[in-house]
Amino acid sequence: MAVKGVIIRPPVEAHSVLIGVTEGCTWNNCRFCSVYKGVQDYRVRSKEEIFNDIELWAQNYGWNGRVFLAGGNALSAPTDLLIEVIDRIKQRFPVEHISCYAKNHDLLKKTPAELKKLREAGLVTLYVGLESGSNLVLKLMNKGTTARMMIKAAKKAIEAGFRLSLYVILGLGGKEHTEIHAKETADVLNEINPPIFRFRTLNLFPCAPLYDELKSGKFQRLTPFETILELYNILKRIESHVTSEVFNDHISNYENFEGKLPEDLPGMLKLLEQRLKDPQTKKLRPKWLNHM
């Protein structure tokens, strides 16, 4: 398509039409992330550029009813522009689902009325990186936010009617902070009770600032066994009132499952307990992917 540079999307949106609304990331300072660093600066694309892409899709490509508004956090674009884009998409195609990435800063900056307008216009799902519920880990990773800000933003999205999907990064605290990362991430999930949360395992590329600390030994990554244990320690702390859908389905992970809380939680824990008791689990080699 006409968009140049970096285009990313959640794995679940693999077959969605990608309409670039923004480029880059408004923050771009997370120490574990290398997606845009030195590659693409943040900007909001012009309405003309976006509408041209919509027309290209309409005239030359298939359309399966799902649209992802691309950009590191497309929700950062002006509300009026987003509504115009959504309206144009709906005029040109039969749409069943529209989604985008968002940062908690985007949610905190927009008013409840703006969020409600976006939801009513047809934006359904927001993918937001919680990453960790630990203020210590968030600070060490230079996430630019706090657990309380994450909670406030998430609740604001849920109240506006969005299908909020939060990401948690396993291993983000390294060996030193695995316990607090697990405990306080569970605490935040318990307070938010998001519609969805997903697990990803930390995977660093050379251009990520944290990569240098990994190579020097200052940051010690978890082994596959320790990663599964951390996942278990998060899930075992999830309380009975939480009704989230849970997905541990990413290529970076060492176990694959999904389910609905609270009814599927015992089965998830049993599966992980079996894995932790299996002597072969300690022999697993880190994936450390070259691409995802």
Side-chain angles (χ1 to χ4, degrees):
M1 301 304 292
V3 180
K4 297 180 180 180
V6 180
I7 294 291
I8 62 172
R9 46 84 183 146
V12 72
E13 300 292 345
H15 301 292
S16 299
V17 169
L18 308 180
I19 301 295
V21 174
T22 62
E23 295 176 358
C25 170
T26 52
W27 177 244
N28 200 26
N29 286 308
C30 295
R31 299 183 66 246
F32 57 86
C33 180
S34 60
V35 174
Y36 298 109
K37 289 177 174 61
V39 178
Q40 189 177 68
D41 293 328
Y42 172 80
R43 79 175 179 107
V44 179
R45 302 181 74 221
S46 70
K47 183 168 70 173
E48 180 182 15
E49 289 176 290
I50 300 169
F51 279 23
N52 283 342
D53 281 5
I54 293 171
E55 283 306 307
L56 280 171
W57 276 106
Q59 296 174 19
N60 300 294
Y61 297 87
W63 198 264
N64 71 350
R66 292 183 66 93
V67 180
F68 181 75
L69 305 180
N73 51 318
L75 194 70
S76 63
T79 299
D80 289 345
L81 174 62
L82 286 169
I83 291 174
E84 286 189 77
V85 169
I86 292 168
D87 286 345
R88 176 57 66 93
I89 290 169
K90 290 164 67 176
Q91 289 169 13
R92 298 297 288 123
F93 308 100
V95 181
E96 298 173 1
H97 184 268
I98 301 176
S99 62
C100 72
Y101 282 130
K103 296 186 72 65
N104 71 321
H105 303 83
D106 306 328
L107 288 161
L108 294 174
K109 287 178 181 178
K110 291 195 186 296
T111 67
E114 286 181 294
L115 293 175
K116 186 177 180 180
K117 285 182 180 178
L118 286 167
R119 181 64 190 89
E120 291 175 346
L123 184 59
V124 178
T125 299
L126 300 178
Y127 299 97
V128 179
L130 168 63
E131 327 301 12
S132 176
S134 166
N135 284 330
L136 173 62
V137 174
L138 291 171
K139 184 176 181 180
L140 289 172
M141 294 301 121
N142 200 28
K143 180 68 178 174
T145 189
T146 65
R148 183 51 50 188
M149 290 170 66
M150 290 283 193
I151 291 168
K152 184 178 179 181
K155 288 185 175 181
K156 196 173 179 181
I158 294 169
E159 289 171 2
F162 288 106
R163 188 170 181 261
L164 181 68
S165 179
L166 296 180
Y167 290 101
V168 173
I169 300 180
L170 297 171
L172 191 60
K175 290 180 183 288
E176 184 177 3
H177 303 298
T178 181
E179 291 185 9
I180 193 170
H181 175 49
K183 178 185 180 302
E184 296 188 355
T185 296
D187 291 343
V188 169
L189 292 172
N190 285 330
E191 184 162 351
I192 295 173
N193 188 15
I196 301 169
F197 61 90
R198 290 179 158 91
F199 292 103
R200 302 287 185 260
T201 299
L202 179 66
N203 194 80
L204 296 174
F205 293 96
C207 47
L210 190 60
Y211 186 83
D212 290 339
E213 290 188 19
L214 172 71
K215 299 302 288 184
S216 70
K218 184 178 180 181
F219 180 86
Q220 294 183 303
R221 63 175 174 173
L222 301 185
T223 65
F225 178 88
E226 291 168 334
T227 302
I228 295 171
L229 179 60
E230 185 175 271
L231 172 59
Y232 176 79
N233 286 334
I234 293 173
L235 287 175
K236 77 176 184 180
R237 289 181 169 91
I238 298 298
E239 298 172 358
S240 59
H241 72 275
V242 176
T243 56
S244 308
E245 292 180 64
V246 180
F247 295 88
N248 193 67
D249 59 350
H250 194 254
I251 189 174
S252 64
N253 297 345
Y254 296 101
E255 189 57 72
N256 192 291
F257 61 82
E258 61 184 66
K260 182 74 169 63
L261 302 181
E263 56 265 33
D264 294 331
L265 183 57
M268 296 177 190
L269 293 175
K270 183 177 180 180
L271 173 65
L272 294 174
E273 288 168 358
Q274 292 172 340
R275 287 285 297 206
L276 292 169
K277 290 177 182 177
D278 185 348
Q280 295 302 313
T281 302
K282 288 191 175 182
K283 298 179 182 180
L284 289 174
R285 299 182 63 182
K287 292 185 176 182
W288 225 238
L289 305 169
N290 293 319
H291 64 279
M292 287 191 287

